[in-house]
Amino acid sequence: INLDNFKMINDSLGHQIGDVMMIEIVNNLRDFIKAPDSIGRIGGDEFLVIIEGAKTEIEIETYVKKMSAIINKPFYYKEKDYRMTASFGISRYPKDSVTASELMQQVDIALFRAKSHGKNQMEFFDEKMQITLENQLNIERKLSSAIENKELYIEFQPQYKLPSGELRGFEVLARWCNPIIGQVSPTSFIPMAESNGLIVSIGKWIMKEAC
């Protein structure tokens, strides 16, 4: 479980109030999660829940939805109520793996997918997720050296006034062609560059190249 946007709570209300809110959420979850099931904090705003016994996918979804409703209960502070949501990544033993380390890795991958879908979501791990993530990491590694290797280039798209048809200027479009993976869509590499900070150096390169 990862609490969504918990940093905003800490930043707006302060870490002390954030801690009180987190303790209240965990205490509410502990009232719901009964032995042999268990919950533990694994760092920051992330928690691990172990559900024992054979459960169908529908049973797990119902279980997670109940936890989600508990986390979403209002937290009152200074006559205002604050509500928290959470994202859930799920892996299953022995369906997905028989080792603890692999199950944890799979949970992280499923959680990453859940958060990428807009948070307040749950995702079951499947092998396609791992392949997709590995492909993304491969692209990200290559993107970091794309400027240096002169793989990026720009295209100029003309813009016209209507209805006269007079040329009013050009839109500058970034393009990337890697010698190994070929042409990479801007819809793939631009969001990636924005998330890892590369967009700053790419933006500077585009301005210089275009001018």
Side-chain angles (χ1 to χ4, degrees):
I1 308 173
N2 180 256
L3 302 179
D4 298 327
N5 299 323
F6 190 72
K7 185 178 182 298
M8 290 178 62
I9 295 292
N10 281 334
D11 291 345
S12 59
L13 302 182
H15 287 268
Q16 187 174 359
I17 302 303
D19 288 346
V20 172
M21 184 177 186
M22 185 179 289
I23 290 168
E24 185 173 306
I25 289 171
V26 173
N27 285 337
N28 290 338
L29 286 171
R30 287 173 65 187
D31 290 339
F32 168 72
I33 300 167
K34 304 295 185 183
D37 301 343
S38 57
I39 182 172
R41 186 182 183 189
I42 56 176
D45 53 6
E46 286 197 353
F47 298 85
L48 181 68
V49 175
I50 299 175
I51 306 170
E52 296 196 24
K55 296 282 194 299
T56 65
E57 193 165 298
I58 293 174
E59 287 174 322
I60 295 171
E61 284 183 3
T62 301
Y63 196 104
V64 169
K65 284 177 182 177
K66 288 178 179 178
M67 287 193 292
S68 182
I70 290 168
I71 292 168
N72 194 235
K73 285 182 178 180
F75 173 80
Y76 294 97
Y77 177 67
K78 290 187 176 180
E79 299 181 355
K80 292 182 180 179
D81 66 274
Y82 298 86
R83 292 178 183 269
M84 183 61 57
T85 62
S87 300
F88 300 81
I90 305 159
S91 65
R92 290 154 290 182
Y93 169 95
K95 181 180 184 295
D96 298 316
S97 179
V98 295
T99 68
S101 60
E102 283 190 356
L103 286 166
M104 286 298 296
Q105 183 185 16
Q106 292 163 354
V107 160
D108 283 339
I109 291 171
L111 180 61
F112 178 81
R113 175 61 68 87
K115 294 186 85 68
S116 70
H117 284 169
K119 304 176 183 178
N120 195 24
Q121 304 285 331
M122 73 175 84
E123 284 285 347
F124 286 85
F125 172 81
D126 67 53
E127 290 181 358
K128 291 179 182 177
M129 287 182 187
Q130 190 152 11
I131 294 168
T132 300
L133 184 60
E134 287 172 357
N135 288 338
Q136 286 178 338
L137 290 172
N138 182 41
I139 292 173
E140 190 167 345
R141 282 195 299 270
K142 288 178 169 55
L143 180 60
S144 62
S145 58
I147 297 176
E148 184 181 336
N149 295 338
K150 298 182 178 178
E151 297 169 10
L152 293 179
Y153 63 97
I154 57 175
E155 291 182 338
F156 293 93
Q157 179 167 281
Q159 296 181 335
Y160 297 93
K161 293 180 181 179
L162 294 178
S164 68
E166 179 187 351
L167 180 67
R168 63 175 294 272
F170 293 87
E171 181 179 9
V172 180
L173 306 173
R175 297 290 183 258
W176 178 28
C177 185
N178 179 270
I180 297 173
I181 57 179
Q183 201 76 28
V184 184
S185 169
T187 58
S188 295
F189 77 83
I190 293 296
M192 194 176 294
E194 289 173 341
S195 67
N196 64 19
L198 284 171
I199 196 66
V200 176
S201 57
I202 290 174
K204 288 180 179 178
W205 176 86
I206 290 170
M207 288 292 290
K208 185 178 179 181
E209 190 76 7
C211 291

